[in-house]
């Protein structure tokens, strides 16, 4: 019998999986279909999804309203290039996003992934200063535990040590990556740093309230407000990356609303289409937009092939309909309360460092380097889809999840973290 005949052996590698060691990864479960909060596997098993496909499927999978909108759009106009042409879905989406975003963020540049939206935001910030005759402002200030995407510019503003791109440091532009300020002294230090580097900085980029893929760290609205205030004081562009936090995840429609701050540029993605299609946006205020008016050299020099993809726009419009017609933020509040209640007992377990909840995000942080692949496998055995990374086990479910389904998820976490806690080595290395 060759390795190939063994069940659950490494996938052949024809599909090169994201963030996966292809040499000895067990073959992942094959998904046959999705529905609501369920992932149906080809072998007949059904998993309750705790992470909504990287936090994107906020209305659950296959929501009929989004499916219908996409189907109708598909037959009429799936995609047409946006250079020199335009169409209804993209115009409508830009207007509706402008109406729901705080402040006067109303100039939307559409791309197809969050990383690209971040690239566009960075390029926009750099060119903003160029267009104002200030050259040499090429660097960004960002924060430890931040994550902004996998492309080169986006990687450069991620946490350079704790993030997933440490080995690329020599390849990346060197940014100023600093700790989030925790008190008045921290805010003063950050202010000093901004003052010292102002001439070379294009802007500051931050995930408001919840630093997601960099470790699921949370900070207060006051911290966010303080950083926004410093950006104003030092005349730096503030880019808020709401790709993970936008569309209700943190309990308000956009996380920045809780601090009553408006960014100069906001990036959106993930749940923008309710997880149905790849679409992202970089949205600028009129102050930023105005800097790009003038001669041809002042135009924003960016244009992805699938810019303003009509199908994606139709899905995003349908998703916005659902936020307007269904009680999503109330659902998020109920999820937050249940997560708080049902994950809190984990705090008593040896090796659990922290339990924290913000909106529809619940996190159990473990000590050391937990065996995340093994934990994930245990979750699948228990009929739930939960994918721990780094030192965190977390839930970011669809907002439409029912209390009993959420209970299944929190119960599985208490059980699996409990097993890990009992079995781990006394030094905490597990
Ligand atoms: C996921 C994410 C990105 C990158 O989006 P992709 O669509 O995966 O390229 C950027 N910023 C934040 C905050 C994210 O959570």
């Amino acid at each position: 019998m060759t390795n190939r005949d063994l069940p659950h052996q490494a996938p052949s590698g024809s599909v090169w999986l994201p963030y996966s060691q292809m040499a000895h990864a067990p073959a992942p479960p094959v998904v046959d279909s999705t529905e609501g909060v369920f992932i149906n596997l080809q072998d007949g098993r059904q998993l309750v999804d705790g992470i909504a496909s990287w936090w994107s499927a906020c209305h659950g999978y296959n929501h009929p309203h989004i499916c219908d909108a996409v189907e109708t759009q598909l037959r009429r106009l799936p995609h047409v290039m946006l250079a020199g042409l335009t169409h209804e879905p993209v115009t409508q989406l830009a207007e509706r996003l402008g109406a729901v975003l705080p402040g006067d963020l109303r100039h939307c540049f559409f791309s197809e992934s969050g990383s690209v939206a971040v690239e566009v935001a960075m390029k926009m910030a750099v060119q903003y200063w160029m267009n104002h005759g200030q050259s040499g402002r090429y660097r960004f200030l960002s924060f430890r535990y931040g994550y902004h995407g996998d492309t080169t510019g986006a990687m450069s503003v991620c946490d350079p040590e704790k993030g997933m791109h440490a080995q690329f440091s020599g390849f990346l532009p060197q940014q100023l990556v600093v700790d989030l300020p925790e008190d008045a002294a921290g805010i003063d230090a950050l202010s000093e740093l901004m003052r010292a580097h102002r001439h070379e900085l294009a802007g500051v980029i931050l995930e408001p309230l919840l630093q997601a893929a960099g470790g699921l760290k949370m900070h207060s609205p006051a911290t966010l407000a303080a950083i926004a205030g410093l950006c104003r004081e030092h005349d730096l562009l503030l880019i808020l990356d709401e790709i993970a936090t936008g569309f209700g995840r943190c309990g308000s429609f956009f996380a920045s609303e809780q601090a009553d701050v408006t960014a100069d540029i906001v990036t959106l993605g993930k749940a923008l289409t309710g997880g149905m299609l790849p679409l992202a946006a970089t949205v600028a205020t009129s102050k930023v937009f105005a800097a790009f008016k003038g001669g041809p050299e002042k135009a924003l020099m960016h244009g992805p092939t699938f810019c303003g993809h009509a199908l994606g726009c139709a899905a995003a419009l349908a998703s916005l309909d659902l936020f307007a017609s269904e009680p999503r933020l109330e659902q998020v509040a109920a999820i937050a309360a249940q997560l708080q209640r049902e994950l809190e007992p984990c705090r008593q377990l040896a090796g659990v460092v922290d339990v924290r909840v913000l909106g529809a995000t619940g996190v159990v942080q473990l000590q050391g380097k937990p065996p995340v692949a093994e934990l994930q496998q245990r979750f699948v055995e228990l009929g739930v889809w939960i994918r721990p990374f780094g030192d965190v086990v977390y839930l970011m479910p669809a907002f439409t999840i029912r209390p009993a389904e959420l209970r299944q998820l929190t119960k599985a976490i208490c059980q699996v973290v409990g097993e890990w806690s009992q079995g781990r080595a006394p030094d905490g290395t597990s």
Side-chain angles (χ1 to χ4, degrees):
M1 197 173 180
T2 68
N3 276 352
R4 301 183 89 173
D5 302 315
L6 290 167
H8 283 288
Q9 273 302 318
S12 72
S14 57
V15 178
W16 199 331
L17 300 168
Y19 287 114
S20 303
Q21 174 44 260
M22 299 301 290
H24 33 250
V30 181
V31 178
D32 178 63
S33 65
T34 51
E35 195 185 355
V37 295
F38 298 107
I39 297 176
N40 301 316
L41 302 184
Q42 220 170 46
D43 62 15
R45 285 178 297 168
Q46 186 176 62
L47 306 179
V48 180
D49 188 351
I51 52 174
S53 282
W54 274 327
W55 338 322
S56 64
C58 57
H59 311 288
Y61 295 109
N62 313 31
H63 194 290
H65 181 65
I66 308 181
C67 289
D68 288 349
V70 169
E71 240 176 72
T72 308
Q73 189 62 44
L74 177 65
R75 290 176 205 295
R76 191 184 184 111
L77 164 62
H79 170 66
V80 67
M81 67 188 287
L82 205 66
L85 297 168
T86 188
H87 49 77
E88 267 297 306
V90 77
T91 313
Q92 272 189 29
L93 180 58
E95 280 170 13
R96 280 179 67 181
L97 286 175
V100 290
L101 277 160
D104 78 332
L105 286 157
R106 30 193 67 129
H107 304 280
C108 302
F109 188 96
F110 291 103
S111 53
E112 61 295 302
S113 81
S115 300
V116 174
V118 168
E119 297 288 335
V120 173
M122 294 173 74
K123 210 163 151 183
M124 202 180 260
V126 166
Q127 200 182 341
Y128 170 89
W129 294 112
M130 287 175 176
N131 286 359
H132 276 298
Q134 297 191 33
S135 55
R137 298 184 69 165
Y138 301 145
R139 294 182 79 192
F140 288 85
L141 188 148
S142 65
F143 296 91
R144 206 162 302 289
Y145 295 109
Y147 173 84
H148 299 285
D150 289 352
T151 52
T152 309
M155 277 198 288
S156 77
V157 285
C158 294
D159 188 318
E161 285 146 27
K162 306 225 162 38
M164 295 171 272
H165 309 125
Q167 60 191 314
F168 292 104
S169 65
F171 166 61
L172 299 174
Q174 294 302 295
Q175 315 291 11
L176 281 176
V177 186
V178 302
D179 289 323
L180 273 169
E182 284 180 353
D183 49 23
I187 290 165
D188 287 346
L190 182 58
S191 182
E192 266 324 298
L193 195 71
M194 286 184 183
R195 191 190 318 281
H197 290 274
R198 198 192 157 269
H199 63 285
E200 56 167 357
L201 285 175
V204 173
I205 183 165
L206 169 67
E207 300 158 87
L209 304 192
L210 173 67
Q211 294 178 295
L216 289 164
K217 303 278 187 198
M218 296 162 187
H219 57 266
S220 69
T223 300
L224 172 57
I227 293 168
L230 293 180
C231 289
R232 293 283 168 273
E233 189 183 325
H234 298 289
D235 196 20
L236 294 170
L237 292 179
L238 174 62
I239 302 171
L240 289 182
D241 181 350
E242 292 245 21
I243 290 169
T245 55
F247 306 103
R249 180 58 64 184
C250 294
S252 47
F253 201 59
F254 295 103
S256 54
E257 291 168 26
Q258 294 181 40
D260 203 15
V261 300
T262 305
D264 298 294
I265 302 172
V266 158
T267 51
L268 305 172
K270 289 205 163 85
L272 172 59
T273 64
M276 186 76 72
L277 282 158
L279 187 75
T282 308
V283 191
T285 57
S286 23
K287 171 181 112 174
V288 172
F289 186 69
F292 290 78
K293 290 180 181 162
E297 78 291 350
K298 287 202 167 175
L300 178 65
M301 297 310 282
H302 204 90
T305 305
F306 294 110
C307 189
H309 197 272
L311 265 191
C313 292
L317 284 167
S319 174
L320 289 176
D321 291 345
L322 292 174
F323 276 106
S325 64
E326 298 189 5
R328 287 289 176 269
L329 294 183
E330 288 82 349
Q331 290 169 318
V332 171
I335 290 169
Q338 190 178 344
L339 286 173
Q340 193 76 61
R341 220 166 38 237
E342 294 177 0
L343 291 179
E344 193 53 33
C346 289
R347 202 185 291 278
Q348 311 307 325
L349 298 169
V352 169
V353 174
D354 191 24
V355 176
R356 51 184 180 266
V357 171
L358 179 64
T361 303
V363 182
V364 179
Q365 187 183 342
L366 310 180
Q367 203 173 54
K369 284 191 165 64
V372 289
E374 283 165 41
L375 299 182
Q376 180 186 305
Q377 208 167 336
R378 274 299 285 144
F379 284 124
V380 171
E381 285 163 17
L382 294 173
V384 297
W385 181 239
I386 294 172
R387 196 163 186 274
F389 70 90
D391 60 357
V392 292
V393 180
Y394 75 99
L395 294 175
M396 285 171 95
F399 305 155
T400 49
I401 194 165
R402 293 187 189 90
E405 294 155 352
L406 187 56
R407 175 80 191 120
Q408 257 178 282
L409 294 169
T410 56
K411 219 173 129 184
I413 287 191
C414 293
Q415 177 172 343
V416 171
V417 171
E419 290 167 4
W420 166 82
S421 174
Q422 296 219 314
R424 98 210 153 93
D427 66 353
T429 52
S430 69

